[in-house]
Structure formats: C-alpha cells, structure tokens
Amino acid sequence: MATVNPPMEAAQSDAPSRTGVWTWLTTTDHKKIGLLYGGSAIVFFVVGGIEALLIRVQLATPNGEFLSADAYNQMFTMHATTMVFLVVMPAAAAFTNYFLPLLIGARDVAFPRLNAFSYWVFLFGGLFLTSSFFLGGAPDGGWFGYAPLSSQLNEVVRMDYWALGLQIVGLASLLASVNFITTMFTMRAPGMTLMRMPVFAWMALVVNFLLLFSLPIITVGLIQVFLDRNLGTLFFDAANGGDPILWQHLFWLFGHPEVYILILPAMGIVSEVLPTFSRKPLFGRSFVIFSGIAIGFMGFGVWAHHMFTAGLGPVAEAAFALTTMFIAVPTGVKIFNWLGTVWGGSVRLATPMLFSLGFIAMFVIGGLSGVTHSVAPADWQQHDTYYVVAHFHYVLFGGAVLGLMAGMYYWWPKITGKLLDERLGKIHFWLILAGFNLTFAPMHILGLNGMPRRTYRYPEGLGFEFWNFLATLGSFLIAVSMLVLFWNMFRTWRRGEVAGPDPWDGRTLEWTISSPPPEHNFDRIPVVEHEDDFWYRKYSTADDGTSVAIDPPPDMEVEPEANIHLPSPSFYPVLTGSGMFVTLMGLVYVPWGLVAVGVGALITMWGLFGWSMEPITREDH
Amino acid sequence: MTTETLTPQDHGAPDMDNMRKIAMWAFLGSECLFFGSLITTFLVYRTRVGDGPSASDVFDIPFTSVSSFILLMSSLTMVLAHYSSVRKDWRQMRVWLLATALLGMVFLAGQVFEFTEFVDHGLTVTTSPFGSSFFVLTGFHGAHVAIGVLMLVATAFMSYSGRLSDGEGMNVEIIGLYWHFVDIVWIVIFTVVYLLQV
Amino acid sequence: MSDSPHVYPTPRDYWLIALILAVITGAEVSVTYVSALDSVVAPLLIVMSAAKFVIVVGYFMHLKYEKKLYRNLFLIGVIAAPLLFGTVLFTFGVLIGS
C-alpha cells in the first residue's frame, strides 16, 4: 500500500478503526452491523438479479432452450427466496440498524451483541441457502415450499436447504425483532415520546412486531416439513392422513404479514424523504402512524386470500375477501397523506425524492391490482398466472425496492460523508423506472391471457411472444440501471462531494451529527421538544405558516459527555453463529452428518458460554 | 446483555432489568404462536390415527396427571428461588434453583417413560399424523424444559462465583419467567391434548 | 404506565397459590372420570385450565404487579394465537371440544 494516492491515504489514516477484518467480525456497533447488513443485501441482490435475468432469457422466446426445466425450477425458487429473505429484509434491517438509534437519539441498540449475532446468523443462513447451488442443486419447490412438493423425500437434499435456511434466517429476524422492540421502548432520548418518534422508527416498530408474531408460525411449519423429509413423520402426507392445506395455512399465516414486513420499511423511508424534500411536515402524521399500526393488525387477518383456490368454503372465502378489501383502506390513507405532504410544498426533485415519488406511483398500481385479487371469483381466474407475478413485483419492486433505494440515496451522505452524484442518480432512476415498467407491465396482459407462472417454456402462437420479449428487454434495462448505481457508489465513495452534517436540510436527529457519525453517535444525548425536532431548532413558523430560518443558525457543537459507555467488541456472536452453520450443514446430510451436528453444537455451546461470561462494557470512550 | 448510556441524567447505569424483562415478555408472546401452531396441528390430526392406536388407547391419565403436577410444583420452587434472590439469600436461592431443576428432570424422565410406553403400544412419529403431531408437540415442550433445566443448573453454579450479585450473567427472574411459561404451556397441553382427548 | 414494582407476594402467598393450583388440577382430572358431567366436561376443563394459566402468569410471573407494557407484549400473543388458530381450525371443521 505504499503507492496509494494521497487522498486514499488520508482517508485511511482518518479512520484506522474502520479497517481490519477482525474489527468487522467482532463489532457490536449498530452502524457497522447496519453496513454489514447493507453490503450483504447488495451482494445477494446481484445474485438474485442474475437468477432473474436467467429466467427472463429462458422466457424471451417461445420454446426456450436456455435453461432445463430443472434449472428453471431452481432459478425461480431461489430468485424469490433470495430477494425476499436475503435482499429486502436485510436491506430494511440495514436501515433499521444504522438509523433507528440515530433517529431516536440513542447510542446503540438494547443488546448489541445479540444484534451482531442476528447479523451473523442471517449471513450464515444466506450463505447456506446459496451454497446449495454447488452442493447437489438449489431448492426447486417454490419460495412458498408448498407441501407435498417440499415435503416429499427425493434423492436430493434441495428442499432441506430451503427448510433449514429459512429457519435460520427467521431466527436471525426473530432475535433482531426482540432487540429492536426493546430498544424502541427503553432507549429513546429524553422528550422523544412515542408519538414524536420519526415515522421510519414507527414503521420499524410495526415491522418488528409482525416479525415477532409471524415467524414462530413458519418455524413450526418448516420443522414439520423437515421432519416429514428426514424422520418420516406424516404431517403433509395426504396418502396417510396428513393434510397439505395445513402447510398452506402455516405458511401464509406467516407469509402475509411478511408482505407488510417487506413494504412497511419502505413506507417509513418515504415518509421521511417526502417532508424533507417538500420542506413541509408530513401531512396527517398521526394518521400515517396509525395506518401503519392498522396495517400491522389487519395484516394478520388476510392470509387465506392466498388460498382462495384451495377450497376453504364460501364462508371463509367471503370473510377473507372482505378483510382483504378493508386492508386497502389504511394503505390508501397513507397514499393520500403522502400526496398531501408534497402538495403545496417547495419541492426539490433530488434523487431520493424521485425514488419516493416513483414508489408512490408504482405502489398505487400494484396496490390496485392487489385489490382485484381480493374478489375471490376473479382470483380463481388470475391465480397462478403472470397477473399475480405482475402484481407482487409492482408492490415489492416498484414499492419496496424503490423505497429502499430512496432511503439509500437519502442516507448515503450520512453513512459515507459523501454525496452520490445527482446526475448519475437521476439517470439511474429513469432507467430503472422504465426498465421496471417494461418488464412487469406486460405481465398483466400475459397473465390475463392465461400464461401460467412457474412453467419453463411456452409454445408459439398463443400471443405470448411479444410481451415476453418486451419483459426480457426491460429486465436487462434494470440490470444496466444497477450498473449505473454501482458506478455512482464506487466513484463517490472516494471522490464525491463532501456532504457535511446536514446536506438535505433534514428534520430528524441523525442530521445534527457529523457525517459519518462518530462511534458514540451523540456527544451529548439530545433532549427532544418537538416532532421533527431538528427542523424546529433551525426554523420558526411565521404567522402565515411558512418556515423562517432562525438567525443565527443553531450551534450543533456541544461539550461531549465525560463518560460514554460503549459495548465492547465481542468474538462470541460470530463464533456462535458459525457453530449453528456447521450444525445446519450436518442436518442436511443426516445420518452421517450428525457428526457435524455434534461439532457445531459444541462450537455453539462454547460461543454461548463465552458470551454469558464475557464482561460487557469497554473502557470509557 | 450490555450497558449503555441512556439519558444524560443516567450515566452508564441503564435499567437492564427492565430491558431484559421487555425482551423476555416479547419473546414469550412470540412463543405463544409457536406452541399455538403445534397445538393446532395436533387438533387437526387428533383423530387421524390410521391403523395405529388412538389417544384413548395409549394415554395414561393418572400417570400424566402426576407428572403434570410435578411440573406445576416446580413453578412454586422457581418463584421461591426468585424470592430468595431478591433478598440476596444466595444459599437459599441455590437450593430452590436446584430443586426446580430436579423437578424438571423428573418431569422429563416421566416424559421419556411415557414415550417408550407409547412406542411399545405401537405409536411412533411415523404411525399416523396423530402420532407425528403428538410427539413433535410434546417433544418440543420437553426440549423447552430441558433448556430450562440447563439454565437453572448453570445459574446455580454461576452464583458461586458471585456474578449474579453484580447483576451480570443470567438473571434468576428472567429464567423464572421462561420456566413459568413452559409450565403454563403444559397446563394448556395437559388439558387440550390429554384430558379432552380421552 | 402504572409502576408499582417490588410489592411481590410473600412465600406464604406462594405456597397458598400452589395449593390452589394443585386443587384445580385435582378437580380437572376428577371431572374426566365423572360420567354425569360428560356433556359439560370440555367447557369445565377449559375454564379450569384458563384459571390456572391466569394464576401462574399473574402471581408466579407477577405480571399483576408489573408495567402494563409487559402485559401488553404478552397479551398480543395470548390473544392472537386463539384468534388465528381458531380460524384455521374452523376452516378444517375442527373446533376445540367439538
């Protein structure tokens, strides 16, 4: 490293504690863990994206020869599994980890070592799932793993990877949810009442409640699938009295709250971005919060709309059709609140704002096509067609992913201290918006014309050719747009414009501290007097309702507190996680893998024992 | 599990008890859904016995009543251990912790005995959906008891090193909450799975 | 939030509570042997085990004396489980005690 150019050298000497693998392996700093989540999510996004492109190449022409039926099954299963569990959830976890403590004025989460443990368990789970490609083939029974497809024992071990991988990723999320819930209830800065919490924090709270109460259900289902495969239990064996419909209930009791687990963080981000770039408070703020809570509750009451074709009977179907229609109401409330926020504001169309507006537009389309599914007879027609694929990509890609990208552009300067290039950001936005619509809008038509999901080829002459070709073109446009983003990130990481503490004229506490934030976050824990507290330290409201900058601007420099306790780094979380990884690997290859199970269990016990004996606080900072 | 500066008024001395209790209660709320799923599976399959024995063929209610009673009484010894720990009477606390662990182990031994009896009567996890769901439900409950026993024994021994008095290490009250929860799950299982099915 | 920690019951109370729990358990087992009660045995058993549940949670886990937040966290699970799984059982045509 002797020949590095001067700026790089300077950057490194500025932050010696940021380098070194050991530092990252043992970190308990919520910001570093957030970065680890974010980095992992980006890597898995590339993996899942490549899987999607392979699918689209196969479907570009009729009678595609590019993938075999077997490879295609693996691709669509792993594309969905990766994008849901290894991209959107960890990306949301990245923002929650990094920004939740900053937004509520805390120095870390309630249980920092547990937080590190959650990350490592997630990462090992993701590696476990992905490694299946090289160890006999990836899961091929769909991300929903419907029994008996998932529970029948074949020669191969593919769905074992799926059942165990989801189990372990779920464990990571469950532990994280306990951690974040405790954090939000105990570590808010003085004056930060629950209703003064930023909306992103609120949505994170709802998400973590959803995780807390939905994950145990899928845990049981996955255990049953695993035992059916490996111990010969009969949970889903219809020939011997088992009932595959029970699996559908257990899966969707988790799976539908999961949908809101994926979208609510994006809604939270958008609720932060829109006020900042409209220079207005969020319109009907408490309505947005209560709608989020209502979505959380109602999200548990609609699961059977995924099962309209399973034969639940008219009473259940009518009831679930109604609850599904009702859940559109709190979602609609939010849309109008966001529009009301932008209305009449001094709007700056910076990249985060563009992504937020894109989110609203795409999410409305996806939400409306979702409501059409709630009509049970119509759903029978649409079930298992590309219409459904179009719908959930509009809410998950057009919704969740665009929202998360808004968050990335919005908070990037806080994380790195550098602004992303606006010109490249706008190119990225318009490319991804065009590519996204080109890919998924045709799928509405394909689906209504009867093209089924999850089939690896289609014959000529059914009118599917043109729209499929368009969709494939669009998917490559999305890929190109992502290259623009990566180039932007790479370039500005080192040479971007320096952001300063408050590049967007922000409203919340994270903008009161330097970019990137110091390790202890706040020199002095802030005392909060208002929702959007930082804004009201900078601006007073004139009689006509406009904001007037307070002169002179507030001085953010404060005398640092004398004794700041930060959690010590710990090796035990990653050790315990790696023990669990070895255990999982062994479980796939029962019975001889039981040796690995034993070894893994010993490592796990060693980790847990060391963990419970380890002193907690490092020397005063 | 960690210490943090909470508020300017509160330097380096956060209310760890409060945090741990919130975390534990949240986790127990989550566990309700876990056992709810297992019990639901059992209720769906309770009569699907195939060619194997049914509930009334194998269940031995007097025996299970005794082991249920033992687990119930372990909640008494647990709460007495907690009471002693609040009064910092460590010797007394260890006695009650180990008594609780012992009762837990007696319960587990009863469960092992019961399982072998059922297997002798021809009911295994592979006999019928009834068998699968019964063994997996009670087995996961048993695993919870076993983890509780481990934590109780570990806590009793850790108390010799004086770690508990510093408020570090595992916390008797938290383990108590877990233990009582495992007990109330059995209260439900005993009624729903045993008494209502014979 | 009502904060009144550390007014827990005494060991005497705990022994008394355990006695009550033991008596209810005895009653539970007994009613299953009384054929005259066959038609009401299910509701009886459910009420009695619910009583045991509440007593253990309220006194042994001293939730009765704790912050409302703890109670609410637990209550979500306790309420959600029967609601959700009751619906599932309904669609299977299985309801508890039927």
Side-chain angles (χ1 to χ4, degrees):
Chain A
M1 294 295 279
T3 56
V4 289
N5 54 28
M8 263 182 88
E9 210 164 55
Q12 282 181 347
S13 62
D14 276 343
S17 66
R18 280 183 163 276
T19 54
V21 174
W22 187 252
T23 322
W24 287 96
L25 280 176
T26 59
T27 186
T28 49
D29 177 6
H30 70 95
K31 297 183 289 300
K32 283 198 170 128
I33 294 170
L35 285 175
L36 286 171
Y37 266 113
S40 314
I42 290 173
V43 171
F44 284 119
F45 187 71
V46 173
V47 174
I50 290 170
E51 286 157 0
L53 290 179
L54 294 177
I55 292 172
R56 283 319 316 169
V57 170
Q58 164 71 12
L59 295 177
T61 52
N63 300 313
E65 299 284 351
F66 185 69
L67 294 175
S68 65
D70 178 40
Y72 186 85
N73 288 348
Q74 295 178 44
M75 286 309 151
F76 78 68
T77 302
M78 284 306 287
H79 166 67
T81 308
T82 304
M83 287 303 189
V84 169
F85 294 100
L86 308 182
V87 178
V88 177
M89 284 173 78
F95 287 123
T96 313
N97 254 297
Y98 202 107
F99 288 103
L100 179 71
L102 297 178
L103 286 167
I104 64 173
R107 292 220 167 93
D108 211 310
V109 294
F111 308 111
R113 287 180 301 175
L114 187 67
N115 197 26
F117 182 59
S118 293
Y119 169 71
W120 293 112
V121 171
F122 150 74
L123 180 69
F124 284 123
L127 293 176
F128 175 80
L129 269 169
T130 310
S131 69
S132 61
F133 275 114
F134 312 105
L135 297 166
D140 54 359
W143 85 280
F144 41 82
Y146 269 10
L149 265 182
S150 57
S151 61
Q152 276 167 346
L153 184 64
N154 333 88
E155 262 53 61
V156 285
V157 290
R158 295 174 174 177
M159 290 311 277
D160 287 326
Y161 274 100
W162 179 82
L164 292 170
L166 254 58
Q167 193 78 277
I168 197 83
V169 174
L171 175 70
S173 296
L174 184 74
L175 294 175
S177 72
V178 171
N179 205 344
F180 288 135
I181 287 170
T182 312
T183 306
M184 272 180 269
F185 280 123
T186 59
M187 298 182 69
R188 300 190 310 276
M192 177 69 80
T193 58
L194 277 175
M195 285 313 290
R196 284 183 191 161
M197 273 207 309
V199 177
F200 176 74
W202 259 108
M203 293 308 116
L205 185 63
V206 175
V207 164
N208 283 297
F209 269 101
L210 289 171
L211 286 167
L212 185 70
F213 293 108
S214 65
L215 282 167
I217 306 173
I218 187 79
T219 301
V220 169
L222 291 169
I223 288 169
Q224 292 169 346
V225 162
F226 183 77
L227 293 178
D228 266 13
R229 295 175 59 81
N230 293 285
L231 201 66
T233 55
L234 305 170
F235 288 109
F236 307 122
D237 184 348
N240 288 297
D243 200 333
I245 299 291
L246 180 65
W247 163 261
Q248 297 191 15
H249 277 292
L250 294 179
F251 184 81
W252 289 116
L253 270 167
F254 152 80
H256 203 85
E258 170 72 17
V259 170
Y260 297 102
I261 290 164
L262 298 172
I263 194 69
L264 283 172
M267 290 179 165
I269 290 169
V270 167
S271 304
E272 299 297 328
V273 171
L274 291 172
T276 304
F277 291 89
S278 308
R279 298 173 67 83
K280 272 177 66 189
L282 186 64
F283 179 77
R285 191 172 183 280
S286 49
F287 271 91
V288 177
I289 292 171
F290 283 117
S291 302
I293 299 172
I295 288 175
F297 276 105
M298 294 167 78
F300 272 100
V302 295
W303 77 90
H305 68 218
H306 296 270
M307 302 163 59
F308 279 151
T309 58
L312 299 176
V315 177
E317 277 172 18
F320 280 101
L322 281 175
T323 56
T324 306
M325 289 173 198
F326 277 129
I327 202 169
V329 173
T331 317
V333 167
K334 287 190 165 203
I335 303 278
F336 285 112
N337 278 310
W338 290 325
L339 295 179
T341 306
V342 181
W343 186 262
S346 339
V347 176
R348 272 177 299 165
L349 286 178
T351 317
M353 185 64 167
L354 285 176
F355 272 96
S356 298
L357 295 173
F359 163 91
I360 298 175
M362 295 304 108
F363 186 76
V364 166
I365 298 173
L368 288 176
S369 64
V371 177
T372 65
H373 297 312
S374 71
V375 184
D379 184 72
W380 291 346
Q381 190 66 28
Q382 299 150 3
H383 190 86
D384 254 341
T385 69
Y386 264 86
Y387 187 81
V388 178
V389 180
H391 156 68
F392 66 68
H393 279 95
Y394 266 85
V395 285
L396 289 185
F397 193 131
V401 173
L402 290 191
L404 289 166
M405 286 192 172
M408 211 199 61
Y409 278 94
Y410 179 57
W411 278 317
W412 182 269
K414 179 51 62 185
I415 296 169
T416 64
K418 309 283 178 61
L419 285 161
L420 281 170
D421 186 84
E422 272 294 307
R423 197 175 53 88
L424 286 174
K426 281 173 182 155
I427 292 173
H428 173 216
F429 171 72
W430 289 111
L431 279 180
I432 202 170
L433 192 73
F436 165 75
N437 280 295
L438 206 53
T439 310
F440 296 107
M443 291 187 187
H444 290 110
I445 300 163
L446 283 170
L448 292 176
N449 283 342
M451 180 167 167
R453 293 168 74 180
R454 305 185 195 111
T455 45
Y456 81 116
R457 49 166 61 156
Y458 52 92
E460 262 172 291
L462 295 176
F464 296 161
E465 293 92 338
F466 174 70
W467 300 115
N468 268 304
F469 185 71
L470 268 193
T472 302
L473 273 187
S475 68
F476 278 89
L477 203 52
I478 296 174
V480 170
S481 80
M482 289 310 295
L483 293 180
V484 175
L485 169 67
F486 293 146
W487 167 244
N488 196 352
M489 289 160 85
F490 173 76
R491 222 180 61 143
T492 50
W493 185 281
R494 297 288 184 207
R495 290 188 287 167
E497 188 189 334
V498 173
D502 186 19
W504 307 123
D505 203 3
R507 313 175 71 87
T508 38
L509 291 175
E510 78 272 31
W511 306 110
T512 61
I513 54 177
S514 66
S515 307
E519 200 176 1
H520 54 279
N521 293 357
F522 297 96
D523 286 338
R524 192 163 281 276
I525 294 291
V527 177
V528 177
E529 284 158 4
H530 208 288
E531 56 203 34
D532 290 343
D533 193 64
F534 185 36
W535 181 264
Y536 292 99
R537 282 195 241 167
K538 294 186 288 188
Y539 294 93
S540 62
T541 310
D543 293 337
D544 59 351
T546 54
S547 295
V548 183
I550 292 173
D551 195 46
D555 184 12
M556 289 299 147
E557 296 291 321
V558 288
E559 181 94 353
E561 276 170 55
N563 292 312
I564 296 175
H565 293 277
L566 286 174
S568 309
S570 173
F571 172 58
Y572 294 109
V574 65
L575 181 71
T576 315
S578 62
M580 298 177 79
F581 179 72
V582 176
T583 309
L584 280 193
M585 272 295 179
L587 278 175
V588 179
Y589 299 101
V590 170
W592 57 266
L594 286 175
V595 181
V597 174
V599 173
L602 281 179
I603 299 174
T604 309
M605 291 294 282
W606 172 27
L608 287 175
F609 184 75
W611 186 337
S612 63
M613 287 305 191
E614 187 180 46
I616 302 158
T617 325
R618 108 174 62 149
E619 294 307 301
D620 289 349
H621 189 71
Chain B
M1 302 221 173
T2 182
T3 113
E4 264 299 316
T5 308
L6 270 184
T7 65
Q9 301 84 20
D10 192 7
H11 286 282
D15 189 353
M16 278 309 293
D17 275 359
N18 184 30
M19 283 188 185
R20 288 180 185 174
K21 280 196 204 170
I22 290 175
M24 192 36 122
W25 279 110
F27 174 71
L28 296 181
S30 173
E31 287 269 86
C32 290
L33 279 295
F34 178 84
F35 281 105
S37 306
L38 287 168
I39 293 172
T40 305
T41 307
F42 174 82
L43 287 173
V44 172
Y45 292 153
R46 73 211 158 98
T47 55
R48 303 193 187 180
V49 296
D51 302 327
S54 70
S56 47
D57 293 338
V58 289
F59 283 177
D60 179 357
I61 293 298
F63 179 83
T64 312
S65 303
V66 173
S67 68
S68 303
F69 181 74
I70 286 168
L71 193 63
L72 195 61
M73 287 306 111
S74 77
S75 269
L76 172 65
T77 55
M78 184 70 236
V79 82
L80 292 172
H82 173 230
Y83 184 78
S84 310
S85 79
V86 171
R87 289 171 45 235
K88 301 202 187 304
D89 184 347
W90 306 120
R91 205 186 60 81
Q92 189 88 325
M93 180 198 73
R94 277 192 285 273
V95 170
W96 287 123
L97 281 180
L98 292 173
T100 311
L102 187 70
L103 289 172
M105 284 188 273
V106 172
F107 173 82
L108 283 176
Q111 201 168 30
V112 170
F113 173 78
E114 188 187 62
F115 280 13
T116 48
E117 283 287 295
F118 290 1
V119 172
D120 286 346
H121 282 83
L123 183 71
T124 68
V125 284
T126 58
T127 313
S128 59
F130 164 70
S132 301
S133 55
F134 171 80
F135 281 111
V136 171
L137 165 59
T138 52
F140 268 97
H141 180 266
H144 276 75
V145 176
I147 290 168
V149 168
L150 279 179
M151 291 199 292
L152 288 167
V153 174
T155 311
F157 282 99
M158 276 163 68
S159 74
Y160 282 112
S161 66
R163 283 177 175 277
L164 288 175
S165 46
D166 302 339
E168 286 188 14
M170 284 187 284
N171 178 315
V172 177
E173 181 164 15
I174 297 301
I175 297 174
L177 290 179
Y178 173 85
W179 189 265
H180 296 305
F181 177 77
V182 173
D183 184 28
I184 56 175
V185 170
W186 189 259
I187 290 175
V188 175
I189 291 177
F190 180 57
T191 305
V192 173
V193 174
Y194 287 89
L195 295 179
L196 281 174
Q197 306 305 332
V198 289
Chain C
M1 281 185 199
S2 75
D3 272 42
S4 55
H6 309 304
V7 264
Y8 298 140
T10 60
R12 236 182 80 92
D13 302 326
Y14 288 136
W15 283 95
L16 190 69
I17 292 160
L19 186 69
I20 295 169
L21 290 170
V23 169
I24 300 177
T25 308
E28 278 189 302
V29 179
S30 312
V31 294
T32 58
Y33 287 96
V34 182
S35 50
L37 292 173
D38 271 358
S39 54
V40 288
V41 74
L44 272 179
L45 283 174
I46 289 166
V47 167
M48 283 192 283
S49 70
K52 282 161 75 180
F53 189 102
V54 171
I55 292 172
V56 173
V57 174
Y59 292 93
F60 282 177
M61 297 166 95
H62 31 81
L63 196 53
K64 186 174 181 302
Y65 309 95
E66 294 275 23
K67 295 183 176 173
K68 284 207 179 86
L69 173 62
Y70 305 167
R71 191 196 63 192
N72 293 345
L73 283 171
F74 187 57
L75 218 54
I76 298 175
V78 171
I79 293 172
L83 276 181
L84 297 182
F85 298 122
T87 312
V88 173
L89 291 172
F90 170 80
T91 64
F92 278 98
V94 185
L95 276 177
I96 299 169
S98 65

